[in-house]
Amino acid sequence: MKVDWTTFWPRIVEATGETLTMVIATLIFGSIIGISFGLLLFVTRENNILENKLLFQILNVFINIIRPIPFIIFMVAISELTRLVVGTTIGTVAAIFPMTIVASFTIARVVENNLVSIDPGVIEAAQAMGASPLRIIFTILIPEALGPLILGLTFVSVSLIDFSAVAGTVGGGGLGHIAMTYGYQRFDGSVMLVTVIILIVMVQLAQWIGNTLSKKIMRR
Amino acid sequence: MIEFKDVSKTFSLGKRDVHAVKNVSLSISKGEIFGIIGFSGAGKSTLLRLVNMLERPTSGTIFIQDIDVSKLSSKDLRTRRRNIGMIFQNFNLFNSRTVAGNIAYPLKLAGTPKREINKRVKELLNFVGLADKEKDFPDQLSGGQKQRVGIARALATSPDILICDEATSALDPDTTADILKLLKKVNRDLGITILLITHEMHVIQSICDKVAVMEDGEVIEDGNVFETFTDPQHETTQRFIHSVQSDLPSKQILKEWRSSGGGKLYRVIFKGDATNDPVLSTITKKHDVDFNIVYGAVRELQEKLFGNLIVSFTGDASAVQNVLNELNTIVELEEVIENEG
Ligand SMILES: Nc1ncnc2c1ncn2[C@@H]1O[C@H](COP(=O)(O)OP(=O)(O)OP(=O)(O)O)[C@@H](O)[C@H]1O
Ligand SMILES: [Mg+2]
């Protein structure tokens, strides 16, 4: 059975909105949590400005446990927790919860990796001027790493578009859900084509925004 | 101004202990340019970083302007650090900030009002000769310009002390000379005490008043640059001095000299006033002996002259001996032995 495109377009628009909501909301929450964790991971490292072996190890191990789990399995595995927090496991909001967790840990690593590439001498210079650890975090670490950090976040948002589609197939709504129910289960190639094109455009757009922003910040 | 009292610093790397600084006692007076020289791994950087407590001593005390800095709370320490500017071999500028932003940073930390910051930044840019680079980013500057920004940034909070970790080691000879000149100006015009470390003797030679030689974490020799240069006690010190002024011709030339029947060679060392009188010619004339300067130089050190000549004497054996005896009372004299060089 083929869909009737005159009535189906609004569904596509709605689904695109859902996907965007999932990705953007996850990116916002994930960035807040992930950047904090990444900074914490970096400054508590050995010989760093707020060295704390215990905190570092806890964070590090936690991230290492969560990150390798494939998203679809992770999402199902924590569904009880999702129900507890969100109240349901179906719909856009329910998808944002597991996506945020995974995004947070991925972003934490991205942030940590970018911070590690800052010349330690620069941090030392700030210390020698009498900057406090908190001051160093906000006025040195973040500005110095911002350019590559935005590229890292761009990379994460592209994989979030992917995650949102996965979430869609197991009750999360959005373009993934449309593609699955109409394109896959009802063999409607035109629906498949349209969703694929929209997803490609989204990824390109995200990449373009990220590149432009980071270029502007790195002035190159 | 800066006083190290029996200071040691040990790093533990797993089971192994690295004694980077061992029982160092040093005293640096106000207004001096004090240089610490040593080969790689001697512990110079560690010693320098003890001054602003980037590194804490394992034992001993460090007094800065009569305050025991190892006892300061971290908040007091941060305030103290504004009085100790630091510059680095790799400049360590903030790439995300402009030249002006880099210089303004320590002032912002100190809570200086914005208008004053702008004024001070302009002042400093003029002082280091970069007035037109205000809005540039560090990656648009040459090495020498970067170090000038580093110096301006270190001077922003008007410190009494400037510490320099190999400040010229990443620069070419001309730029090095410019930066050394600037450091001298910082010392002379602003009265800032400078403690610098280097592995290059010419840095010590061109701007330092005092020098300490470090080896394996210990200070093996220290004193006035002139005295240390002209009368080195330790072999390592001699090696450093030879790196800027070889006091002997090469082995090859010495060999040729001897095989062609050249006579005994003597090293004659003139210091200070002795360089003003024509000692050699007066004394040799008196005893009717000829002299031949085979090798040598007279150079300036801390505005005093220092001569090191390799000389041979020809004439009656007893007359030559008389010349040697008489010279010995005025200048330093020693025979160049066979296997030297
Ligand atoms: N943070 C550290 N942890 C462990 N060992 C260290 C540390 N810092 C320095 N060391 C060791 O202490 C010794 C002295 O190092 P330092 O950097 O002070 O030498 P240096 O004289 O400045 O050498 P260079 O001319 O190469 O800079 C070296 O053996 C070095 O490996
Ligand atoms: Mg060093």
Side-chain angles (χ1 to χ4, degrees), chain B residues 16 24 69 72 81 102 115 121 131 146 166 184 186 192 210 223-224 245 278 297 308 316 330-331:
Chain B
R16 205 167 53 88
V24 168
V69 284
L72 291 176
R81 280 177 175 162
N102 268 274
R115 284 194 48 181
V121 168
K146 283 182 192 168
E166 306 265 6
K184 191 116 199 178
V186 167
I192 293 174
K210 295 268 185 69
N224 248 317
Q245 53 184 59
N308 177 333
D316 181 60
I330 306 169
V331 295

Side-chain angles (χ1 to χ4, degrees), chain A residues 47, chain B residues 11-13 18-21 38-47 49 55 89 165-166 197-199 214:
Chain A
N47 293 326
Chain B
F11 295 104
S12 343
L13 296 170
V18 180
H19 302 281
V21 172
F39 292 109
S40 187
K44 308 179 296 288
S45 295
T46 310
L47 190 69
R49 292 156 54 84
E55 221 69 81
Q89 176 170 4
D165 189 342
E166 306 265 6
I197 62 172
T198 182
H199 60 263
M214 268 192 101

Side-chain angles (χ1 to χ4, degrees), chain B residues 99-170:
Chain B
V99 166
N102 268 274
I103 302 173
Y105 188 79
L107 293 165
K108 281 188 190 157
L109 287 181
T112 314
K114 204 169 161 102
R115 284 194 48 181
E116 243 169 86
I117 292 185
N118 292 338
K119 196 172 139 251
R120 182 90 181 114
V121 168
K122 289 232 158 60
E123 220 172 85
L124 287 157
L125 281 169
N126 280 323
F127 183 79
V128 300
L130 285 179
D132 54 333
K133 300 285 181 197
E134 189 176 352
K135 293 199 172 68
D136 285 18
F137 281 90
D139 56 11
Q140 297 167 295
L141 303 177
S142 71
Q145 290 170 334
K146 283 182 192 168
Q147 196 57 290
R148 283 169 191 276
V149 177
I151 292 172
R153 187 177 67 173
L155 297 179
T157 48
S158 309
D160 291 322
I161 298 168
L162 179 67
I163 57 180
C164 317
D165 189 342
E166 306 265 6
T168 56
S169 299

Side-chain angles (χ1 to χ4, degrees), chain A residues 8 11-12 15 168 173-184 191 195:
Chain A
F8 198 67
R11 285 280 294 123
I12 293 274
L175 290 169
H177 178 70
I178 296 267
M180 208 61 189
T181 40
Y182 297 90
Y184 180 68
V191 172
T195 51

